[in-house]
Amino acid sequence: MKSLLPLLLCAVSLTACAQAPDSAAGVGTAAAPASSQGLAQAAEGSVDERAIQALQSINPRIEVDHVGPAPLPGFREAVVGGQVVYISDDGRYLLQGALYDVVEKKDLSQAGMAEVRRRLLATIPASERIVFAPENPVHTVSVFTDVECGYCQKLHEDIAEYNRLGIAIEYLAFPRMGPASEGFAKMVSVWCAADRGAALTAAKEGRKVQSGSCTNPVARHYDIGRRVGLTGTPMIVTEDGTQMPGYMPPADLRAALDELAADAAPAEATPAQADGAAGSR
């Protein structure tokens, strides 16, 4: 796992370490950062405020995407730069890394990240996504993609099979080589094409896409991808904010999504519980 400290020193606005594209030149557009806009104002003197102040004492320009109670007594949980950290209630100590419950056998740090992913992905409207979906999808996932990534190309080769299995794929742009790369320019051309879906397919098949510039969301998608903890493409995110483990073949993804849905569904009442509920009415 990468260390958080260099990110803090690099401003952790998540595009501060790379020059943002010039929207006036038509390369990309970006709204104000989506991070702290969704973060509730911490009450003066509260433990949440102390946690934020502790992080900003390392770098005043840091943006915190989430702060709240931690499963670790005496600490607050924060999400910064796509990573979960823990700050002691007095603001003195910072811990970085996964917090694992050995009894429940689960990574407790993922709940906070999932909430951040849900919130940030909700800021991306349907009009900015390139959607390949069956008529009545059973599951919908957001996929941060790059036209030059081998596994992204492999996923797209099977797009019809994902759809046949009831999975809607909603693509978001993440040119992994950054804003100054040829891949970034290609993705701008894709998002500026009259038929984005056809242009994305052509680009992933190595065919030429007509260069174009327009008001587009590529820079903003790239920023949000880094905020939600993206470390490689394709990044598949479920509707509840769960990050899937990289590329997954269609049948494997469907099985994993079915399992997540089953785990999230409320348990059905047993016959004895149902009888008891009926008798109490």
Side-chain angles (χ1 to χ4, degrees):
M1 178 179 291
K2 59 187 175 181
S3 173
L4 179 68
L5 186 57
L7 294 178
L8 296 178
L9 297 176
C10 196
V12 193
S13 65
L14 304 187
T15 52
C17 296
Q19 183 176 356
D22 182 357
S23 60
V27 175
T29 64
S35 62
S36 298
Q37 294 174 355
L39 188 63
Q41 188 72 20
E44 185 175 355
S46 68
V47 287
D48 284 352
E49 184 191 40
R50 283 197 294 274
I52 295 171
Q53 289 176 344
L55 291 165
Q56 291 180 336
S57 72
I58 301 172
N59 187 328
R61 296 173 58 195
I62 194 172
E63 294 186 11
V64 182
D65 286 308
H66 161 81
V67 64
L72 186 65
F75 281 78
R76 307 303 282 176
E77 178 184 82
V79 174
V80 180
Q83 297 186 61
V84 178
V85 296
Y86 301 96
I87 306 96
S88 60
D89 287 347
D90 62 4
R92 180 169 181 176
Y93 300 104
L94 183 150
L95 298 175
Q96 177 190 2
L99 182 62
Y100 193 78
D101 186 325
V102 297
V103 174
E104 297 294 330
K105 303 292 191 294
K106 65 167 65 173
D107 183 350
L108 301 179
S109 61
Q110 287 307 304
M113 275 305 311
E115 173 58 31
V116 169
R117 293 188 193 107
R118 280 196 300 271
R119 176 164 51 79
L120 291 179
L121 289 175
T123 68
I124 303 176
S127 61
E128 290 185 5
R129 300 166 181 249
I130 299 178
V131 178
F132 291 82
E135 185 174 349
N136 297 300
V138 179
H139 302 291
T140 299
V141 295
S142 298
V143 179
F144 285 92
T145 193
D146 176 23
V147 295
E148 298 180 334
C149 150
Y151 277 108
C152 297
Q153 294 167 352
K154 184 172 178 59
L155 187 154
H156 196 66
E157 287 174 1
D158 291 331
I159 198 71
E161 181 64 8
Y162 287 104
N163 288 172
R164 189 188 72 78
L165 292 176
I167 303 170
I169 303 290
E170 299 190 348
Y171 281 121
L172 310 174
F174 194 86
R176 58 201 175 119
M177 299 307 292
S181 67
E182 180 181 352
F184 191 100
K186 286 182 181 179
M187 298 201 80
V188 168
S189 294
V190 166
W191 255 260
C192 289
D195 186 336
R196 292 175 174 175
L200 183 65
T201 298
K204 290 193 174 192
E205 291 177 351
R207 293 186 280 122
K208 183 175 177 58
V209 176
Q210 182 176 354
S211 297
S213 62
C214 64
T215 299
N216 68 85
V218 174
R220 196 164 68 87
H221 289 190
Y222 179 77
D223 175 68
I224 290 175
R226 298 186 68 180
R227 289 186 182 280
V228 299
L230 190 153
T231 57
T233 52
M235 180 187 189
I236 303 173
V237 184
T238 69
E239 291 180 291
D240 72 351
T242 299
Q243 177 181 347
M244 306 306 288
Y247 164 79
M248 299 180 74
D252 292 352
L253 180 58
R254 175 59 198 258
L257 293 172
D258 286 346
E259 183 176 352
L260 283 174
D263 290 343
E268 293 184 6
T270 65
Q273 291 172 328
D275 291 343
S280 64
R281 287 197 292 269

